[in-house]
Amino acid sequence: MIEPEMKYLITGLGNIGSEYTNTRHNIGFNIVDYIAKEEEIQFEDGRYGQTAQFKYKGRVFILLKPSTYVNLSGKAVNYWMQKEKIPTENLLILVDDLALPFGTLRLKAKGSDAGHNGLKNIQASLGHNQYARLRFGIGDNYRRGQQIDYVLGRWTPEENAALTERLEKAAEMVKSFGTIGIPRTMSLYNNK
């Protein structure tokens, strides 16, 4: 009997619409777009989002860009996990994080939503917080009361210049997550 292929759902959080393109909050979309470009695959419209698939080292990676807006990402994640029969341990959420300095990449096996509405909604949809997330630091360089403008703002020229290298590292971490697992990926990449 042939073993079924291991499938991974890699969900980049972001908001659809041109006004959100290249904003800090859309870094999840940027990471999956970067991977799709690297793998020379196209996203296709589907229920609750766009998906693209590729194989790497015998695993199937399904990239997802929810079309539900960040705050309702759980609906898309839940739907695609059911549709593709993906176990929770093969789910990875790519998300922006204000608490980390710009470009810092931190993989975690589980954890709190840290006030992020996208993670809050995923947790509510799944009924737990035992899923992996890759946090991409966007820094917290804003004045009091300016958080929303900052998160939905565009990258500075300096950040933009450094972005490609950070996206490349995030893409490596995604593939590593699916091939060598969380503990080894964390020790190889976290805080680097």
Side-chain angles (χ1 to χ4, degrees), residues 13 37 48 68 72 77 82 87 101 105 121 141 155 187 189:
L13 299 191
K37 193 174 161 196
Y48 302 129
T68 52
L72 296 172
V77 169
Q82 308 285 323
L105 292 160
N121 188 258
N141 192 13
W155 303 104
S187 68
Y189 291 97

Side-chain angles (χ1 to χ4, degrees), residues 107 172-178 180-190:
L107 179 67
E172 280 177 28
M173 288 176 79
V174 166
K175 290 174 178 173
S176 178
F177 162 80
I180 64 171
I182 290 179
R184 285 178 64 198
T185 301
M186 283 168 65
S187 68
L188 274 175
Y189 291 97
N190 278 3

Side-chain angles (χ1 to χ4, degrees), residues 13-42:
L13 299 191
N15 287 318
I16 52 169
S18 56
E19 69 272 31
Y20 296 109
T21 304
N22 291 325
T23 58
R24 293 181 179 92
H25 213 31
N26 270 31
I27 191 64
F29 278 13
N30 294 140
I31 298 168
V32 290
D33 282 340
Y34 183 90
I35 296 169
K37 193 174 161 196
E38 210 178 45
E39 295 296 326
E40 299 176 359
I41 54 174
Q42 302 293 315

Side-chain angles (χ1 to χ4, degrees), residues 6-185:
M6 291 283 275
K7 283 184 185 176
Y8 293 83
L9 182 62
I10 312 299
T11 305
L13 299 191
N15 287 318
I16 52 169
S18 56
E19 69 272 31
Y20 296 109
T21 304
N22 291 325
T23 58
R24 293 181 179 92
H25 213 31
N26 270 31
I27 191 64
F29 278 13
N30 294 140
I31 298 168
V32 290
D33 282 340
Y34 183 90
I35 296 169
K37 193 174 161 196
E38 210 178 45
E39 295 296 326
E40 299 176 359
I41 54 174
Q42 302 293 315
F43 279 92
E44 290 173 17
D45 288 326
R47 191 146 176 215
Y48 302 129
Q50 294 183 320
T51 57
Q53 255 186 60
F54 69 96
K55 282 186 182 171
Y56 177 74
K57 293 192 176 177
R59 275 111 169 140
V60 176
F61 287 80
I62 299 164
L63 305 175
L64 169 63
K65 294 199 291 188
S67 58
T68 52
Y69 290 100
V70 170
N71 298 356
L72 296 172
S73 302
K75 187 183 268 192
V77 169
N78 214 352
Y79 172 78
W80 285 97
M81 281 179 77
Q82 308 285 323
K83 183 180 185 325
E84 297 291 343
K85 298 177 179 54
I86 293 180
T88 305
E89 60 271 17
N90 291 4
L91 169 67
L92 178 61
I93 306 295
L94 312 174
V95 62
D96 59 291
D97 193 327
L98 285 163
L100 296 174
F102 168 77
T104 302
L105 292 160
R106 189 145 314 139
L107 179 67
K108 291 181 83 174
K110 58 183 189 290
S112 79
D113 57 55
H116 193 288
N117 291 331
L119 295 181
K120 216 173 270 182
N121 188 258
I122 291 166
Q123 187 171 321
S125 287
L126 298 180
H128 60 79
N129 65 359
Q130 309 292 303
Y131 59 86
R133 68 283 313 265
L134 175 55
R135 295 175 181 274
F136 188 108
I138 61 169
D140 59 359
N141 192 13
Y142 57 88
R143 287 195 204 88
R144 241 180 103 151
Q146 301 294 308
Q147 181 175 332
I148 290 168
D149 293 338
Y150 178 78
V151 169
L152 295 177
R154 300 223 181 319
W155 303 104
T156 65
E158 299 77 48
E159 289 169 339
N160 238 335
L163 212 50
T164 303
E165 186 274 333
R166 294 285 79 199
L167 290 171
E168 188 181 330
K169 195 62 70 189
E172 280 177 28
M173 288 176 79
V174 166
K175 290 174 178 173
S176 178
F177 162 80
T179 52
I180 64 171
I182 290 179
R184 285 178 64 198
T185 301

